[in-house]
Amino acid sequence: MNPNQPEQTVDVSRRRFLVGSIAGVTGLTVGLSLPLGASQEPGVDAFEDEINAWVIVNEDDSVIVRVARSEMGQGTLTGLVQMVAEELACDWDKVTWEFPTPGQSLARDRPWGSFSTGGSRGIRDSHQYVREGGAIARELLLAAAAQTWSVAIKDCVAKDSVITHLPTGNSTTFGAVATLAATLKAPSDVTLKDPADWTVIGQSVPRLDTAEKVTGALRYGADLTLPGMLHAAIHACPVHGGKRRGVDASAAKSMPGVRHVLSVADDAVAVVADSWWQAKQALAKVNIEWDTGTNGQVNSRTIAAMLREGLEATDAFVGNSRGQTLETLADAEELVTAEYSYPFQNHAPMEPMNATVVWTDQSCEAWVPTQNGEAALEALADAAGLFRDKCEVHKLMLGGGFGRRANHDFLIQATQIAKQLPGVPVKLLWSREEDQLRGVYHPITQSRMTAKLNDDGLPEAMHIRISGQSILHALRAPLGEPQIDQAVFQALAPEGEHAFVYGIDHFLADHAMRNTHLRPWFLRGVNINQNVFYLESFLDELAAKAVTDPLEYRRKLLTQAPKALAVLERAAANAGWGRPLAPGSGLGLALCKAFGSYVAACAEVSVIDGELHMKKIWAATDPGYAVNPQQIEAQVSGSFMYGLSAALYSELTVENGRVEQENFNSYPSMKIAQMPDVETDVMPSGGFWGGVGEPTIAVAAPAVLNAVYAATGVRIRHLPVKNQPLA
Amino acid sequence: MLELLVNGEKVSVDVDPSTPLLWVLRDHLDMTGTKYGCGIAQCGACTIHLDGVATRCCVLPVSAAQGKAITTIEGLSAEGDHPVQQAWIELDTPQCGYCQPGMIMAAAALLNETPQPTDDDINQRITNLCRCGTFVRVRAGIHRAAELASEVKA
């Protein structure tokens, strides 16, 4: 059950229900939650009946758990509620959830921590304080029961929303003592359960948000309706960095339903109309002249040439260096070298970008599918020209995120439109074409891989030179000269959550930063996507050069990395590595440590008449602790779709400074017919917390392409695969 | 005014007849279960049934739907318990869920015509995009829905 249903919006004085009702309303229209122009202290009064910031217990024992991170399909919502429920010791069947707002967080000094939802951090960065939130609420409920009975707290236990006094056997329910518990002072510290005692964490409970997703009842941002709301369609300069020079809106203004044709910032035009279709039709009739400057002369060939120069340049940032790599390579009689490349890609979530904003000179309110509610509030306040405490953001469920919705360019545009129409709610919805052309893209890179093999055929020295864009530089460019971007070295790093796992004595990874005008951004998996493709493909090349089985070859390099070796062995064993295969078929392996987890894949493919058939992938994942194994399985399976769709089909090319692929007809995505079967082995070894939403993406392409090599002898070094023959 | 038959009910809408049915459903009738994904009938998020046939309504002029039975995700079942919906819940198929109304409508239409579809039938008939990559559970869900439907009939 979802708390965001209209029958629960009856008490309009209780702000949290009203806010929630807008987020998930199934009725026709809903009211605004803030009286515009009124004082907007984000409703402290709404919290009077909570146990603590995380937990509300109602008289009927139903429990509402507050979740600050966003839900975009990855299942974090359910996982986080499981962690609170574990420590709360409540009846799982009575649990629902709600999103606190960023304004509430601000007013209460951020009791829920970060709202940022990316980097596979939802669980692994908040498990401690989320569980403590549940444990504190439990202690308060126990204290209330003990006070009611005049007994010692230590003699009381909680289980399934029932509190029992052990010496007497007296019992009561959470709901019966909730009101008293809400008045008590929270303990300063709590002891969390031993993982061996978990009964909710680690269970494959069903998601909490499925029912409303199969009936069409769930309202995404694109579906939001407010009284008096107008619809906006927008077109920004398709050459990033370009400006609007002239606009002829004469034809558009007289079209049916059109209310306004507006200039937005210095690079966009919006049409505001009674319906979105009318706005979009009219926008197509607006003649816009662009000033695209020098960016308008950039194309894929000039970008590729710039990156190629970077493969040999001397101005590289060093991200990982051990031993004497360059010297060892310089002394080698024979080197193995290969060059690889990875294109621009777009996130392309199924729900195009959108935001609904209502602005007055006193306050501003927005409904946003965002991966970071707090960052959305910042962006809103800046664009609105108001202090943050006069603004509020209501988060909605995301129709896909993949990193795209951690950037709020669309919200800023929506606010700039709303600001021109005071008091009128405006929903800005991007077309799919706008989503493609005005994306923030997966960075483009090339790599040159160089290795010297020792007498055993193993790499004595390896140099990975990456040439290409830096996401972090794009973020901090206003700060001045380029600095090293450590994120470029994900899965190649000296240590930490993205540590390079292989034992190679002389190893160097460096980055020649080469930026273009296309804005780079975090795309699910981020820099592991190309790095692991480069590394795992090249390792396979080295194994072939050494005439060694690829699994055996990796084993010899993983003697100091037992957890990495364990997932690799498991994936290979589950796939029946070494079994005889039909001609034209092959198995391929890939491995990485990323976002704190260890993941491996073994793919089986066949290539028939040059056509690739991906039969099955066996995956193994060690995330340390597994909160909800069936959702991890869903993330792993979905990651193969996302990673393989990218590897096989996805490429943005640039001509005259603009992206050429405007919709799914030229930017195809994998369909069910191409999707291999996936068998996932979740093998949590305990003792650490790793993310699961992204790491598997990185092993998808190299596992399949190493299998293609095994099947055909054809080595694919440049993505996407669609551009190259496999026979 | 145009007259339409949506989920068994007659409705009248004052709209340009060239408007795609998708936007009549969404912006005029406030039935937002049917989604906009691409606008060029590539992704299937807007799949509805037109006289029982799976149809991508983002490119279908509303005038072409006159006189035909339009079924949307909101009208697939009274209680959200169509066999496909039951199977989807059983397997926890949706992730973000945005494509799923269209996916479910496509699956329901397939099962209407082919009660026991093979994997090959599914490959040919289910061409909706899902960027979360729920396809393994979509396939299992269609087979499970076929079982559930046959149990009901038996």
Side-chain angles (χ1 to χ4, degrees):
Chain A
M1 186 188 128
N2 185 318
N4 301 330
Q5 286 179 349
E7 63 267 27
Q8 291 183 286
T9 67
V10 286
D11 183 355
V12 293
S13 69
R14 297 178 63 185
R15 181 189 167 82
R16 63 184 162 80
F17 284 137
L18 192 53
V19 169
S21 76
I22 289 164
V25 67
T26 53
L28 292 181
T29 56
V30 294
L32 298 175
S33 69
L34 295 178
L36 291 168
S39 168
Q40 293 191 18
E41 297 303 323
V44 173
D45 63 327
F47 301 104
E48 59 197 13
D49 57 347
E50 69 185 21
I51 305 298
N52 64 353
W54 298 91
V55 174
I56 299 150
V57 176
N58 295 315
E59 281 179 19
D60 65 357
D61 282 343
S62 61
V63 171
I64 300 168
V65 174
R66 295 206 180 98
V67 174
R69 310 270 184 179
S70 299
E71 177 57 51
M72 50 190 160
Q74 84 281 32
T76 301
L77 173 77
T78 303
L80 289 169
V81 174
Q82 279 179 266
M83 291 204 284
V84 173
E86 177 70 62
E87 294 293 340
L88 182 61
C90 64
D91 180 349
W92 176 255
D93 292 337
K94 294 179 174 140
V95 173
T96 60
W97 56 273
E98 69 179 22
F99 290 138
T101 69
Q104 291 162 351
S105 176
L106 187 69
R108 299 182 65 175
D109 199 18
R110 305 185 77 222
W112 302 284
S114 174
F115 280 56
S116 174
T117 314
S120 296
R121 281 193 299 262
I123 300 286
R124 67 193 176 105
D125 274 12
S126 51
H127 61 87
Q128 185 73 21
Y129 58 77
V130 166
R131 287 184 293 151
E132 286 171 358
I136 289 168
R138 179 198 66 227
E139 290 300 311
L140 287 166
L141 290 160
L142 287 172
Q147 186 174 317
T148 305
W149 292 326
S150 300
V151 301
I153 299 174
K154 67 176 175 53
D155 291 335
C156 300
V157 295
K159 189 184 179 194
D160 293 339
S161 297
V162 174
I163 297 169
T164 304
H165 180 237
L166 293 172
T168 61
N170 285 343
S171 69
T172 187
T173 66
F174 279 11
V177 297
T179 304
L180 176 58
T183 66
L184 302 179
K185 187 172 185 305
S188 55
D189 65 311
V190 287
T191 304
L192 297 180
K193 283 187 184 175
D194 187 296
D197 298 329
W198 286 342
T199 59
V200 183
I201 297 175
Q203 300 301 307
S204 287
V205 299
R207 294 174 66 114
L208 296 169
D209 54 349
T210 297
E212 59 189 347
K213 288 180 175 174
V214 304
T215 59
L218 178 63
R219 295 245 174 183
Y220 298 83
D223 305 329
L224 193 79
T225 303
L226 296 173
M229 184 181 84
L230 296 176
H231 298 258
I234 197 163
H235 187 37
C237 184
V239 178
H240 298 191
K243 309 294 181 202
R244 184 184 58 244
R245 184 185 281 156
V247 178
D248 175 4
S250 51
K253 279 181 176 166
S254 59
M255 289 176 68
V258 172
R259 301 289 192 97
H260 310 276
V261 180
L262 303 174
S263 294
V264 182
D266 61 0
D267 66 351
V269 174
V271 174
V272 180
D274 293 335
S275 78
W276 190 75
W277 178 251
Q278 291 169 327
K280 184 170 185 284
Q281 293 299 99
L283 184 61
K285 299 293 185 191
V286 180
N287 288 314
I288 312 169
E289 191 186 345
W290 304 113
D291 176 3
T292 60
T294 54
N295 290 349
Q297 295 155 28
V298 175
N299 59 50
S300 287
R301 297 170 300 285
T302 63
I303 295 169
M306 176 179 71
L307 266 53
R308 190 138 214 312
E309 178 274 326
L311 293 179
E312 296 171 12
T314 55
D315 62 338
F317 295 111
V318 174
N320 190 356
S321 177
R322 67 169 87 130
Q324 306 290 323
T325 306
L326 294 179
E327 295 83 344
T328 308
L329 293 173
D331 289 344
E333 288 179 16
E334 187 186 5
L335 292 175
V336 186
T337 65
E339 290 179 9
Y340 288 79
S341 67
Y342 199 99
F344 289 117
Q345 293 166 345
N346 196 22
H347 307 75
M350 291 304 300
E351 180 194 20
M353 297 303 108
N354 66 83
T356 304
V357 179
V358 56
W359 182 94
T360 72
D361 60 2
Q362 297 294 313
S363 66
C364 188
E365 194 170 5
W367 290 259
V368 195
T370 171
Q371 289 180 234
N372 187 340
E374 290 180 319
L377 180 61
E378 291 282 341
L380 179 73
D382 280 355
L386 294 165
F387 290 111
R388 283 182 303 172
D389 62 358
K390 299 297 180 193
C391 300
E392 182 61 292
V393 165
H394 308 291
K395 295 197 309 173
L396 296 106
M397 290 269 204
L398 283 60
F402 314 121
R404 180 62 181 89
R405 288 189 159 98
N407 188 307
H408 295 106
D409 51 352
F410 59 93
L411 171 61
I412 292 167
Q413 287 180 336
T415 311
Q416 289 164 337
I417 293 167
K419 210 173 166 179
Q420 299 181 56
L421 304 168
V424 179
V426 180
K427 178 166 75 180
L428 172 65
L429 173 66
W430 283 14
S431 65
R432 176 59 57 189
E433 290 78 10
E434 196 70 7
D435 198 271
Q436 284 288 114
L437 293 173
R438 293 296 298 187
V440 282
Y441 306 115
H442 182 86
I444 190 168
T445 59
Q446 296 179 8
S447 75
R448 174 175 289 173
M449 316 292 286
T450 311
K452 176 192 178 189
L453 303 187
N454 64 20
D455 293 343
D456 298 325
L458 295 171
E460 180 184 346
M462 182 186 289
H463 177 202
I464 300 178
R465 163 59 61 89
I466 296 162
S467 173
Q469 281 182 294
S470 157
I471 299 167
L472 294 186
H473 175 72
L475 282 172
R476 63 196 179 194
L479 301 180
E481 287 298 301
Q483 307 159 38
I484 186 168
D485 176 353
Q486 293 288 2
V488 161
F489 302 100
Q490 284 176 313
L492 305 175
E495 59 189 5
E497 66 186 44
H498 289 107
F500 181 71
V501 292
Y502 292 103
I504 298 174
D505 289 342
H506 304 281
F507 178 73
L508 174 65
D510 57 10
H511 175 223
M513 192 185 293
R514 296 292 182 272
N515 293 308
T516 78
H517 72 286
L518 278 84
R519 303 171 298 171
W521 193 248
F522 309 93
L523 180 145
R524 189 179 185 184
V526 197
N527 291 308
I528 62 170
N529 297 9
Q530 68 272 14
N531 289 350
V532 176
F533 163 61
Y534 298 156
L535 174 65
E536 289 294 309
S537 299
F538 188 58
L539 275 177
D540 239 54
E541 294 203 49
L542 298 183
K545 179 85 179 171
V547 198
T548 304
D549 173 81
L551 174 60
E552 185 57 29
Y553 197 78
R554 287 177 173 81
R555 278 179 183 142
K556 290 177 179 174
L557 299 172
L558 291 168
T559 55
Q560 303 301 310
K563 287 185 189 291
L565 180 61
V567 290
L568 182 70
E569 296 279 15
R570 184 73 68 89
N574 288 350
W577 183 262
R579 66 185 151 95
L581 294 165
S585 296
L587 293 175
L589 290 168
L591 165 71
C592 78
K593 180 186 184 187
F595 302 96
S597 290
Y598 299 86
V599 301
C602 184
E604 180 177 352
V605 310
S606 62
V607 179
I608 301 166
D609 298 332
E611 192 176 332
L612 173 62
H613 300 268
M614 299 180 293
K615 189 176 172 194
K616 184 165 179 177
I617 299 177
W618 291 264
T621 293
D622 179 3
Y625 294 111
V627 176
N628 188 327
Q630 66 98 348
Q631 279 303 302
I632 294 174
E633 183 191 308
Q635 285 303 295
V636 169
S637 179
S639 291
F640 283 116
M641 197 300 298
Y642 206 77
L644 292 172
S645 192
L648 299 181
Y649 314 118
S650 296
E651 174 186 40
L652 300 173
T653 55
V654 181
E655 191 65 42
N656 297 325
R658 57 176 275 169
V659 163
E660 295 186 288
Q661 291 73 20
E662 298 193 11
N663 206 319
F664 288 125
N665 54 350
S666 52
Y667 192 73
S669 187
M670 183 185 281
K671 296 176 182 170
I672 201 168
Q674 287 86 45
M675 180 71 194
D677 192 15
V678 175
E679 185 179 313
T680 303
D681 205 328
V682 181
M683 39 188 290
S685 61
F688 65 99
W689 295 83
V692 299
E694 296 173 272
T696 302
I697 291 178
V699 294
V704 164
L705 294 176
N706 287 340
V708 166
Y709 177 80
T712 64
V714 173
R715 173 62 59 187
I716 297 295
R717 298 193 182 93
H718 306 280
L719 298 185
V721 178
K722 73 178 169 79
N723 296 341
Q724 297 147 84
L726 293 182
Chain B
M1 295 292 270
L2 289 168
E3 286 230 326
L4 299 173
L5 185 63
V6 183
N7 297 331
E9 288 185 29
K10 279 187 184 170
V11 296
S12 297
V13 287
D14 183 10
V15 62
D16 184 311
S18 68
T19 307
L21 176 60
L22 172 67
W23 296 103
V24 175
L25 292 171
R26 291 178 58 81
D27 285 354
H28 295 267
L29 300 174
D30 200 37
M31 298 175 69
T32 56
T34 308
K35 304 302 184 193
Y36 166 68
C38 69
I40 57 170
Q42 285 282 312
C43 76
C46 65
T47 304
I48 51 118
H49 295 175
L50 204 61
D51 282 344
V53 178
T55 303
R56 296 183 176 183
C57 69
C58 69
V59 293
L60 182 78
V62 63
S63 55
Q66 280 185 293
K68 298 186 175 175
I70 300 163
T71 307
T72 71
I73 186 71
E74 290 92 344
L76 181 64
S77 61
E79 305 292 330
D81 57 356
H82 184 279
V84 174
Q85 291 168 314
Q86 287 184 50
W88 254 233
I89 289 173
E90 201 176 295
L91 298 177
D92 241 358
T93 299
Q95 291 188 26
C96 89
Y98 190 83
C99 74
Q100 297 296 340
M103 194 77 79
I104 289 167
M105 294 306 282
L110 168 63
L111 290 170
N112 276 343
E113 294 169 34
T114 312
Q116 299 292 330
T118 63
D119 279 342
D120 205 41
D121 293 331
I122 293 170
N123 290 344
Q124 290 182 23
R125 295 292 305 281
I126 304 298
T127 57
N128 299 43
L129 301 186
C130 168
R131 295 286 291 162
C132 296
T134 59
F135 293 133
V136 172
R137 291 191 187 186
V138 167
R139 184 185 297 281
I142 292 171
H143 290 309
R144 178 66 183 136
E147 278 179 17
L148 290 168
S150 67
E151 285 168 15
V152 170
K153 282 178 191 155

